[in-house]
């Protein structure tokens, strides 16, 4: 916080944006930030549970993970990794803009972050529809790659033919182990949960964008941008773990 | 802490947080931690009533072997709903969210918790979870037991998905409360108050919050996995699809064992307040009690495996869990010994809250010591899934957590509502519930040790006497609880007006009026060590205690201000 900046005050001489139960803006800022870090801790434990399940199943059935990860398209995953890292950059830039009061640049950076998140979800959608088309699904919905050599996999929807034709994934040459569907159960659960967090992040950044347009943020008050930024970096970080763990096994 | 100048309008005569502002919406959208605490209190008491009714159904059914009032499927639903409602809707939020919300900021001399809006959201999320739980009940309930063990939970036709989702939603409410309390204690504590000046209730609330934020997310993901497993058949817990049902048990108990401490730790915090206040003696071993709370929270995370001695885990793993489980007895015993040392040569007053404190000491002692039988693998294999377990954890949950909650409720009642209840009626209520409770559960140690399994609908005739004693005890304690509710509600209407500090306690919440004004303190409270009873002296004309050599505390009626 810069010393030269004067905090905007209301009619009673009370700093604006300062809630009545805090003494100073600094105390409010520190509380908000600490609360956000604790919330992120709960997020890590939340994902920690499913990472733990992943480790246990991978340790018990390495052959399933080795085989099934080859059915994923690592190029799509790599594109999404780059997209999310870029969005983290624009988010971090947003925080700086908010703190310096650069309104125009803040609006641009927040919009870019939402756009990149949108690209991530679009790539994820293409990947998911490809998996649905091939029947690479969880549990009893799973269809073995050998079952649709004839190119008419029974799990394919309307766009199945198109997606199957455009799929860049070549079939693994090793023989298929038992219970490959377990990998896809974990894959869809992990990436689905992560996707929900990306959507939540897009909503939160959209809210920041609205407030940025109204000119709410400046050197005296940028806590919401800071807090959502922390959340966004965590969502990014979780993907950085998911990518190698799911796509780069073989 | 510059409230006095900006909020002079709070000093209007007779205006307190209960009567200002008025109207339903002013409560539904309130950001005042005291009002949120009161709304939580009403909600958890409704849940307690509901869970208690299921307990009555279970005990009525067990009066005779075979069918008494319901069939076996209905019985399974009744005991499951009893457990799930009591744990998720009552025990977990009861002390932190209801009593804690009310007193925590007051004890810190603060105007509110750090995130008032999050606090309100926590309450409404709790209500949403409760409604979903009630919906599950309306569509037939659940018959899995509150533990939702797979593979039964994924194959039964009852409303498992909606109940687990209800618990999932309730978890958010618990996490929000935990975040709020930790940040409030860190950031809104007055500069003059060190960590070791705080009331011990705050230490135990802090430890509870640690469990809430570290444990709840794990059970959340577990319940989500279970719902997905049941809805979409992903196979992670299904052996037929290559999954592992024991993995569910590990995940479940990783949270649900710490959850036991989540329920008992705040009650231990209340104990520390009651023992010192009604012994009028400085707490013995402040730091030992404070750190033992944190130790219980930490060790609590390492001992979940003692629920699974018979699930096929290796003897080595069992031995390690057995060892760690016995270790958790140490911080619990540290607390018990320090409370007893505090009582040594204390001038004990047997006011109502103190009756509950003494009950807690005895019941927690029995519950804790029988826990050691269960921590030891050899005896546990014999006692596993018998009524011995049921008796043990009810001594902790009811004897510990519920009696702690009732002690706290009777202690802070005058502060919450500004009214005194009838102490003689309270003695009767305590006597009924205490004797009813012991009659119910002590006999269960005996029938459990003799081999009666828990959760069974039917039993051998040799257990009939024990079961009947137990059921009569349960009905007696229900009468006791209704009696308590009756005199407490009566006190709201006809009770004598309470002074600011009727018990002579030294923590900050007693420096404001009873009930407090909307912004808590009309003047900055005098910060002091939480057990510095020398600072307060009895003023019989005020029927309460006032600070020595200082202004009399503001009782809201304007009389006390000089």
């Amino acid at each position: 916080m810069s010393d030269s900046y004067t905090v905007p005050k209301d009619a009673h001489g009370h700093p604006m944006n300062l809630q009545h139960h805090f003494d100073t803006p600094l105390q409010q800022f520190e509380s908000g930030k600490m609360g956000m870090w604790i919330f992120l801790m709960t997020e890590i434990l939340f994902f920690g549970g499913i990472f733990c399940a992943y480790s246990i199943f991978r340790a018990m059935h390495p052959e399933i993970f080795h085989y099934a990860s080859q059915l994923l398209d690592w190029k799509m995953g790599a594109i999404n990794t780059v997209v999310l890292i870029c969005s983290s950059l624009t988010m971090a830039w947003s925080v700086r803009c908010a703190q310096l009061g650069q309104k125009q640049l803040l609006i641009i950076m927040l919009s870019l972050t939402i756009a990149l998140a949108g690209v991530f979800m679009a790539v994820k959608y293409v990947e998911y529809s490809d998996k649905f088309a091939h029947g690479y699904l969880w549990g009893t919905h799973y269809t073995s790659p050998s079952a649709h050599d004839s190119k008419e996999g029974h799990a394919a929807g309307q766009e199945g033919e198109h997606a199957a034709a455009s799929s860049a994934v070549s079939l693994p040459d090793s023989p298929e182990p038992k219970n490959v569907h377990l990998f896809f159960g974990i894959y869809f659960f992990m990436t689905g949960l992560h996707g929900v967090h990306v959507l939540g992040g897009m909503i939160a950044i959209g809210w920041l964008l609205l407030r940025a347009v109204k000119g709410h943020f400046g050197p005296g008050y940028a806590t919401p941008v800071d807090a959502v930024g922390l959340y966004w970096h965590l969502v990014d970080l979780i993907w950085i773990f998911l990518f190698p763990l799911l796509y780069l096994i073989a | 802490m510059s409230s006095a100048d900006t909020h002079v309008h709070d000093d209007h005569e007779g205006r307190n947080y209960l009567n200002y502002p008025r109207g339903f919406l002013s409560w539904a959208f309130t950001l005042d931690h005291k009002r949120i605490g009161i709304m939580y209190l009403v909600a958890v008491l409704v849940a307690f009533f509901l869970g208690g009714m299921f307990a009555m159904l279970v005990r009525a059914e067990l009066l005779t072997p075979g069918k008494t009032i319901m069939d076996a499927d209905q019985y399974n639903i009744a005991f499951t709903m009893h457990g799930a409602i009591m744990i998720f809707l009552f025990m977990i939020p009861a002390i932190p969210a209801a009593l804690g919300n009310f007193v925590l900021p007051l004890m810190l001399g603060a105007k509110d918790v750090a995130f008032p809006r999050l606090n309100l959201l926590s309450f409404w999320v709790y209500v949403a979870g409760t409604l979903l739980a009630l919906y599950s009940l309306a569509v037939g309930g659940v018959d899995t037991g509150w533990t939702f063990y797979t593979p039964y939970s994924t194959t039964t036709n009852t409303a498992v998905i909606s109940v687990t989702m209800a618990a999932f939603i309730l978890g958010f409410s618990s996490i929000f409360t935990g975040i709020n309390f930790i940040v409030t204690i860190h950031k809104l504590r007055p500069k003059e108050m060190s960590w070791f000046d705080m009331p011990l209730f705050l230490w135990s609330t802090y430890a509870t919050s640690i469990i809430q934020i570290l444990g709840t997310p794990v059970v959340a993901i577990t319940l989500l996995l279970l719902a997905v497993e049941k809805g979409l058949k992903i196979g992670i817990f299904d052996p037929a699809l290559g999954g592992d049902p024991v993995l569910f048990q590990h995940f479940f108990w990783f949270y649900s064992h710490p959850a036991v401490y989540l329920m008992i730790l705040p009650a231990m915090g209340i104990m520390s307040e009651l023992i010192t206040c009604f012994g009028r003696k400085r707490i013995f071993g402040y730091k030992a009690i404070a750190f033992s709370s944190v130790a219980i929270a930490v060790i609590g995370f390492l001992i979940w495996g003692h629920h699974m001695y018979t699930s096929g885990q290796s003897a080595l793993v069992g031995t390690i869990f057995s060892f760690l489980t016995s270790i958790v007895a140490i911080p619990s015993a540290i607390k018990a010994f320090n409370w007893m040392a505090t009582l040594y040569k204390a001038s004990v007053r047997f006011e109502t809250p103190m009756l509950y404190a003494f009950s807690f000491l005895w019941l927690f002692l029995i519950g804790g010591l029988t826990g050691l039988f269960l921590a030891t693998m050899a005896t546990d294999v014999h006692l596993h899934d018998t009524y011995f377990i049921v008796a043990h954890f009810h001594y902790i949950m009811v004897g510990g957590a519920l009696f702690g909650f009732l002690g706290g409720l009777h202690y802070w009642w005058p502060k919450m509502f500004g009214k005194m209840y009838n102490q003689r009626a309270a003695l009767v209520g305590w006597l009924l519930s205490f004797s009813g409770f012991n009659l119910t559960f002590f006999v269960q140690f005996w029938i459990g040790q003799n081999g009666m399994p828990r959760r069974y609908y039917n039993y051998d005739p040799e257990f009939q006497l024990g079961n009947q004693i137990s059921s009569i005890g349960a009905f007696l304690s229900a009468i006791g609880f209704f009696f308590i509710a009756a005199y407490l509600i009566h006190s709201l209407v006809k009770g004598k007006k309470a002074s600011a500090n009727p018990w002579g306690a030294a923590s900050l919440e007693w420096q404001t009026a009873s009930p407090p004004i909307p912004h808590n303190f009309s003047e900055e409270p005098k910060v002091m060590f939480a057990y510095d009873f020398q600072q307060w002296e009895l003023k019989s004309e005020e029927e309460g205690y006032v600070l020595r050599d200082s202004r009399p505390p503001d009782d809201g009626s304007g009389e006390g201000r000089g």
Side-chain angles (χ1 to χ4, degrees), chain A:
Chain A
M1 294 208 180
S2 107
D3 293 331
S4 58
Y5 181 78
T6 46
V7 179
K9 305 234 166 112
D10 65 12
H12 303 288
H14 195 68
M16 269 160 66
N17 292 317
L18 180 63
Q19 291 177 293
H20 79 280
H21 57 289
F22 290 112
D23 292 337
T24 62
L26 182 65
Q27 187 192 26
Q28 172 171 292
F29 167 75
E30 284 180 346
S31 301
K33 196 131 182 185
M34 183 178 181
M36 197 61 204
W37 276 108
I38 297 174
F39 174 71
L40 295 185
M41 209 147 75
T42 69
E43 285 281 8
I44 289 170
L45 277 149
F46 187 63
F47 276 94
I50 184 70
F51 274 106
C52 176
Y54 171 95
S55 320
I56 289 166
F57 278 101
R58 185 162 170 192
M60 287 197 303
H61 306 291
E63 73 289 351
I64 295 180
F65 284 74
H66 186 266
Y67 177 88
S69 78
Q70 298 174 58
L71 298 174
L72 297 180
D73 188 345
W74 68 268
K75 287 180 200 115
M76 295 274 196
I79 291 170
N80 261 349
T81 310
V82 174
V83 166
L84 272 196
I85 289 175
C86 289
S87 80
S88 253
L89 172 71
T90 56
M91 189 69 229
W93 204 330
S94 307
V95 176
R96 187 177 157 76
C97 291
Q99 286 168 346
L100 295 178
Q102 299 165 327
K103 187 178 164 187
Q104 284 308 318
L105 198 55
L106 173 62
I107 292 171
I108 293 173
M109 284 302 151
L110 287 175
S111 312
L112 267 177
T113 313
I114 296 183
L116 287 167
V119 172
F120 176 89
M121 292 308 285
V123 172
K124 209 73 225 157
Y125 172 76
V126 173
E127 273 193 278
Y128 270 21
S129 26
D130 181 63
K131 300 292 162 285
F132 271 79
H134 285 85
Y136 297 153
L137 299 173
W138 55 87
T140 48
H141 304 279
Y142 173 74
T143 319
S144 162
S146 54
H148 41 94
D149 283 343
S150 54
K151 286 235 167 196
E152 45 178 53
H154 53 266
Q158 289 99 325
E159 55 189 329
E161 283 302 314
H162 169 72
S166 68
S167 169
V169 183
S170 57
L171 292 183
D173 31 18
S174 54
E176 185 179 342
K178 263 181 73 176
N179 293 329
V180 172
H181 66 84
L182 276 178
F183 176 85
F184 286 101
I186 289 171
Y187 166 81
F188 276 103
F189 193 83
M190 289 180 118
T191 56
L193 201 62
H194 178 260
V196 170
H197 279 80
V198 173
L199 283 178
M202 289 171 80
I203 294 170
I205 298 167
W207 168 72
L208 288 183
L209 189 57
L210 276 179
R211 293 192 68 179
V213 170
K214 288 183 192 159
H216 284 187
F217 303 120
Y221 181 67
T223 317
V225 189
D226 216 343
V228 174
L230 286 175
Y231 168 82
W232 190 252
H233 296 318
L234 181 80
V235 171
D236 185 14
L237 192 65
I238 288 170
W239 177 260
I240 288 173
F241 279 97
L242 285 179
F243 173 56
L245 286 178
L246 293 170
Y247 291 78
L248 304 181
I249 296 173

Side-chain angles (χ1 to χ4, degrees), chain B residues 255-560:
Chain B
Y255 164 77
S256 295
H257 190 75
V260 171
Y261 297 107
L262 199 163
M263 299 177 234
I264 194 74
L265 270 170
M268 290 170 157
I270 290 176
M271 280 297 292
S272 302
E273 302 303 314
L274 300 186
I275 296 267
T276 49
C277 172
F278 295 97
R280 267 196 97 60
K281 194 160 159 250
R282 247 171 207 260
I283 189 90
F284 183 88
Y286 180 99
K287 286 191 180 175
I289 297 183
F291 287 125
S292 65
S293 293
V294 180
I296 288 175
V298 173
I299 301 171
F301 275 103
L302 307 174
I303 60 180
W304 76 90
H306 68 220
H307 293 270
M308 299 167 61
Y309 286 152
T310 60
S311 71
Q313 71 187 12
S314 74
L316 175 67
V317 172
T319 311
I320 292 169
F321 277 123
S322 180
F323 173 71
L324 290 168
T325 305
S326 307
I327 280 186
V328 87
I330 295 172
S332 311
I334 287 176
K335 281 178 187 294
F337 286 127
N338 277 304
W339 292 327
M340 278 188 258
T342 306
L343 286 172
Y344 178 68
K345 287 191 173 172
S347 36
V348 176
R349 289 170 297 160
F350 281 97
E351 314 238 24
T352 315
M354 193 57 160
L355 297 176
Y356 287 98
F358 271 93
S359 315
F360 179 103
L361 267 183
W362 279 104
L363 303 179
F364 185 73
L365 186 74
I366 296 173
L369 290 180
T370 51
L372 288 175
F373 292 50
L374 304 172
T376 313
M377 267 199 295
T379 40
D380 181 69
V381 170
H382 173 63
L383 297 168
H384 184 81
D385 267 357
T386 66
Y387 263 78
F388 192 92
I389 303 269
V390 177
H392 157 72
F393 73 70
H394 277 91
Y395 263 84
I396 300 289
M397 298 287 89
V398 183
L402 178 64
F403 276 72
F405 169 75
L406 286 173
L409 188 63
H410 283 89
Y411 177 60
W412 284 303
W413 188 265
K415 182 54 65 186
M416 286 173 148
F417 299 105
K419 294 290 171 70
M420 298 300 286
Y421 44 85
N422 184 324
Q423 296 261 355
R424 205 166 299 164
L427 179 66
V428 176
W430 168 79
L431 200 62
L432 283 170
S433 55
F434 181 75
S435 48
F437 165 78
N438 280 297
L439 204 55
T440 314
F441 290 106
F442 201 81
V443 69
Q444 292 186 3
F445 284 121
W446 170 55
I447 56 176
Q449 148 71 21
N450 283 342
M452 171 150 172
R454 69 190 282 203
R455 293 180 170 171
Y456 273 33
Y457 173 67
N458 205 346
Y459 54 80
D460 286 343
E462 62 166 304
F463 298 126
Q464 185 160 6
L465 178 65
N467 270 297
Q468 286 177 343
I469 294 173
S470 186
S471 293
I472 291 165
F475 302 145
L476 191 64
S477 40
I479 295 170
F481 294 135
F482 278 118
F483 189 76
I484 292 170
Y487 70 73
L488 284 180
I489 292 169
H490 177 262
S491 80
L492 292 179
V493 191
K494 298 264 166 131
K496 228 170 40 178
K497 195 176 177 317
S499 65
N501 189 358
W503 311 122
S507 43
L508 300 192
E509 77 269 28
W510 303 102
Q511 289 190 30
T512 183
S514 304
I517 59 168
H519 284 95
N520 290 356
F521 296 94
S522 48
E523 285 166 61
E524 273 188 52
K526 182 181 170 196
V527 175
M528 57 171 103
F529 177 58
Y531 303 105
D532 199 354
F533 298 112
Q534 302 304 318
Q535 304 250 18
W536 291 84
E537 62 186 338
L538 183 65
K539 273 257 167 73
S540 43
E541 66 269 27
E542 306 213 5
E543 298 196 12
Y545 290 72
V546 290
L547 276 172
R548 274 181 213 278
D549 303 320
S550 175
R551 66 189 166 80
D554 177 16
D555 62 0
S557 63
E559 289 161 11

Side-chain angles (χ1 to χ4, degrees), chain B residues 28-49:
Chain B
F29 294 105
T30 183
L31 298 180
D32 182 348
H33 68 97
K34 301 183 289 302
R35 287 191 163 192
I36 294 170
I38 298 297
M39 293 196 291
Y40 252 122
L41 182 64
V42 173
V44 297
L45 289 176
V46 170
F48 178 63
F49 169 75

Side-chain angles (χ1 to χ4, degrees), chain B residues 49-131:
Chain B
F49 169 75
L50 200 61
M53 284 300 104
F54 278 108
M56 291 306 113
L57 289 176
V58 167
R59 283 319 319 171
E61 170 54 40
L62 291 173
L63 273 170
T64 63
K67 183 170 175 173
T68 313
I69 58 166
M70 58 178 107
D71 64 34
D73 288 336
Q74 290 167 330
Y75 174 80
N76 289 343
I77 291 170
F79 80 72
T80 302
M81 295 317 289
H82 164 67
I85 290 174
M86 282 300 195
I87 286 173
F88 293 116
L89 294 177
F90 177 67
M91 297 278 25
I92 289 176
I95 299 178
L99 300 180
N101 245 326
F102 185 89
V103 294
L104 182 135
L106 287 170
M107 282 180 155
L108 292 170
K111 280 177 230 161
D112 211 318
V113 291
F115 310 114
R117 269 178 270 182
L118 191 67
N119 202 15
L120 180 66
L121 180 64
S122 157
F123 174 72
W124 286 112
V125 166
Y126 170 86
V127 171
T130 307
L131 291 177

